[in-house]
Each structure stands twice: as C-alpha cells, then as structure tokens.
C-alpha cells in the first residue's frame, strides 16, 4: 500500500478505467440502443471523475476520524455525503458475499486437503496400492530366490563338469 | 501477507467488472490520498459501476425524451445538467 503515484503527464491514458469494461456495462443497460463513440468516451471520463471525487471525499471522512487507513465505512459515508447513499446496500451486500466466499475458501484450504474422492474411497485406493506393493515385493523376492537357485545349480553343474572332464574326455 | 486483492478477484460471483488494480491506481493519482484498504477499493469499484449504470439510465431517458435514435454525448450532458447528483461533474469537461 505504498503510494507510488506517477506524476508523468502523458500517462493519463493509462490512469483511466478500461474502456471495454465501461462499454460492456453500458451495453448491458442499453442493449439494442446505439451509443456514439463520443458518448462512450464521455462515460469513461465521468467514471474517472467519479472515482476521483469519491476517493477524495472518503479521504476527507477518514481524516476527520483521524484514521490512517481508508475503510469501507468511509467510502459509504462519502457516498452519503455525495448523495449516492442508495448505493450503500448493494455495495455492502456484495462485499459481504465476497468476504464470505473468501472465508469459505480459507476454511477449505486449511482443513483437509480437497479430494474428489470420499474418505472410504481414498481408504480403498490406499489398500489397493498397499496390496500392489506387497505383490510386487513378493514377486521380487520370488525372482531373487529363483535366480539364486539358478546360480547354485549352475555352480553345481560346473563343479560336476570339472570333475567329469578329468575322467571322461579321453572317451571322445 | 495474503493478497486479499487476489482473493477478491477469485470469488466465483463476479460481482464487479472494473479491474481493482486500475481503480486503485486512479485513486493513488491524488497525492493527498492516504492508504486505502483493499476492501475499500472493492466497495469504491462497486459504487463506480453502479454510477455508470445510473448515468447510462439517465442518459437513455434523455435520449428518449429527444426521440433520438442514438445515445449521444449531449444526452449525458443533459442528464448532468438536470440531476443535482451529477453536480460534481460540472466543469470537469469542456
């Protein structure tokens, strides 16, 4: 929240609400009505002006309450002062809804890790994985045992060969 | 520090259409403004959107009164001059 306001003059265009967003809102209200380009531009300018004025008013309210941080209540008071008190309900309701959603998400995040499976399903899957691991370990053991057997047989065979060679070779 | 801005942005009910960061940078243009909470930026953004809708409706009414087929700048001007609520806009434009 450090103030990093840019004083460069030709950045004014950047410090403007996005035109597309404004056009969309106007379109939602007017639907089949054609709106001139100049009118659209003018809406954007009014929008900027509103933000400036409301922010300034809220700032004043904040100062008067000797607070250092502008709070939503200051915005609401400023709206009242400007005559836009009717916005209060809608704004506050929307903010409450958003805050509730955020709280819900936070609860989910800090709670159990989310999963598309139920606890039982997860347990079953785990058991299946354990079973697979057991089978694989058994298989490895069996393979190992078989190889050891092979090697022993081979060793025995060679030994027999060695003893036979001395006696039998002269027959061929 | 958690970015409550990101959290607000990710709420599934997309209840706002103007980008919060843009609105905040516009607010910051005034050197006198003190620090503003993200919730405040959010509320301010919502108020601005409501304002646009209101001004559009009024301008639309102006247009109907003139029996025009197209909403023009003049119709917005007319609303501004008629409704005292829009007084703060007076003198801001040529």
């Amino acid at each position: 929240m450090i103030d990093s306001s840019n004083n460069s003059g030709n950045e004014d265009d950047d410090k403007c609400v996005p035109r597309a967003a404004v056009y969309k809102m106007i379109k939602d209200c007017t639907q089949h009505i054609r709106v001139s380009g100049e009118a659209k531009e003018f809406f954007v300018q009014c929008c900027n002006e509103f933000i400036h004025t409301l922010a300034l008013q809220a700032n004043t309210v904040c100062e008067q309450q000797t607070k250092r941080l502008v709070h939503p209540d200051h915005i609401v008071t400023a709206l009242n002062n400007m005559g836009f008190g009717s916005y209060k309900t809608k704004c506050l309701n929307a903010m409450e809804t958003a805050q509730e959603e955020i709280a819900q998400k936070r609860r989910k995040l800090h709670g159990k890790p989310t999963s598309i499976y139920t606890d039982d399903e997860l347990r079953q899957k785990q058991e299946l994985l354990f079973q697979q691991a057991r089978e694989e370990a058994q298989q490895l053991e069996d393979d190992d045992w078989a190889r050891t057997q092979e090697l022993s047989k081979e060793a025995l065979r060679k030994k027999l060969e060695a003893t036979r060679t001395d006696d039998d070779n002269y027959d061929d | 520090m958690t970015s409550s801005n990101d959290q607000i942005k990710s709420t599934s009910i997309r209840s706002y259409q103007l980008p919060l960061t843009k609105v905040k940078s516009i607010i910051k243009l005034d050197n006198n403004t003190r620090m503003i909470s993200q919730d405040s930026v959010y509320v301010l953004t919502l108020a601005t959107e409501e304002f646009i809708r209101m001004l559009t409706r009024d301008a639309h009414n102006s247009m109907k009164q003139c029996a025009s087929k197209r909403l023009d700048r003049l119709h917005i001007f007319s609303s501004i001059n008629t409704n005292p609520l829009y007084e703060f806009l007076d003198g801001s434009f040529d």
Side-chain angles (χ1 to χ4, degrees):
Chain A
M1 300 202 227
I2 294 170
D3 189 350
S4 57
S5 56
N6 203 318
N7 290 323
S8 152
N10 53 6
E11 291 224 351
D12 279 352
D13 270 354
D14 289 343
K15 301 303 182 187
C16 193
V17 289
R19 286 166 173 76
V22 177
Y23 298 165
K24 183 166 191 302
M25 276 189 275
I26 297 169
K27 194 100 196 246
D28 288 344
C29 291
T30 55
Q31 272 138 13
H32 304 298
I33 310 298
R34 284 166 56 214
V35 182
S36 78
E38 275 185 349
K40 286 179 189 170
E41 183 58 36
F42 195 45
F43 273 120
V44 171
Q45 287 174 358
C46 292
C47 199
N48 289 336
E49 201 53 43
F50 180 80
I51 293 171
H52 279 302
T53 310
L54 183 56
L56 207 63
Q57 281 280 327
N59 200 50
T60 308
V61 173
C62 181
E63 266 175 34
Q64 282 168 354
Q65 295 183 10
T66 59
K67 295 270 163 55
R68 292 186 58 218
L69 183 70
V70 176
H71 191 265
D73 286 345
H74 303 145
I75 307 284
V76 170
T77 310
L79 280 171
N80 273 327
N81 294 345
M82 286 168 68
F84 293 103
S86 56
Y87 294 179
K88 173 181 168 184
T89 320
K90 187 158 188 175
C91 291
L92 291 182
N93 283 346
M95 188 172 80
E96 262 180 45
T97 314
Q99 281 175 340
E100 263 173 39
E101 274 211 4
I102 290 167
Q104 262 180 25
K105 285 196 174 171
R106 210 175 278 146
R107 276 196 294 269
K108 262 176 132 175
L109 210 62
H110 294 153
K112 279 189 288 191
T114 50
S115 171
I116 53 171
Y117 301 112
T118 62
D119 277 356
D120 277 341
E121 283 171 340
L122 285 171
R123 233 171 264 125
Q124 277 175 20
K125 281 182 176 298
Q126 189 182 53
E127 193 47 50
L128 204 64
L129 286 169
F130 282 154
Q131 181 64 24
Q132 278 176 0
R134 276 195 288 269
E135 284 170 10
E136 275 174 31
Q138 187 62 47
Q139 188 63 42
L140 279 172
E141 222 182 284
D142 290 347
D143 288 347
D144 212 33
W145 177 238
R147 200 171 52 244
T148 311
Q149 291 279 68
E150 260 323 299
L151 286 172
S152 310
K153 280 188 194 162
E154 187 63 27
L156 192 63
R157 194 178 64 74
K158 281 202 172 131
K159 203 168 171 185
L160 284 174
E161 280 262 338
T163 49
R164 216 178 49 209
T165 309
D166 290 341
D167 297 332
D168 299 336
N169 258 359
Y170 294 109
D171 287 345
D172 297 344
Chain B
M1 253 195 272
T2 49
S3 167
S4 60
N5 190 14
D6 286 343
Q7 288 175 323
I8 287 177
K9 271 200 263 199
S10 68
T11 54
S12 59
I13 303 171
R14 187 145 172 89
S15 48
Y16 68 96
Q17 287 169 293
L18 297 176
L20 298 181
T21 37
K22 237 340 156 43
V23 174
K24 186 165 183 179
S25 58
I26 295 172
I27 295 169
K28 290 290 187 196
L29 279 179
D30 290 322
N31 292 326
N32 292 326
T33 50
R34 40 191 62 200
M35 295 192 297
I36 184 165
S37 74
Q38 281 302 342
D39 281 351
S40 300
V41 176
Y42 183 50
V43 174
L44 202 148
T45 306
L46 290 175
T48 309
E49 290 178 7
E50 201 51 37
F51 173 75
I52 295 171
R53 286 186 206 110
M54 186 185 195
L55 186 58
T56 305
R57 278 195 298 269
D58 285 345
H60 190 193
N61 287 334
S62 267
M63 183 197 106
K64 283 196 260 189
Q65 281 172 7
C66 310
S68 290
K69 294 218 174 112
R70 193 175 72 157
L71 206 156
D72 236 340
R73 216 160 90 121
L74 288 171
H75 304 125
I76 312 175
F77 265 130
S78 168
S79 307
I80 292 173
N81 290 330
T82 317
N83 194 336
L85 270 185
Y86 300 130
E87 222 171 334
F88 71 95
L89 289 171
D90 263 346
S92 306
F93 314 102
D94 329 301

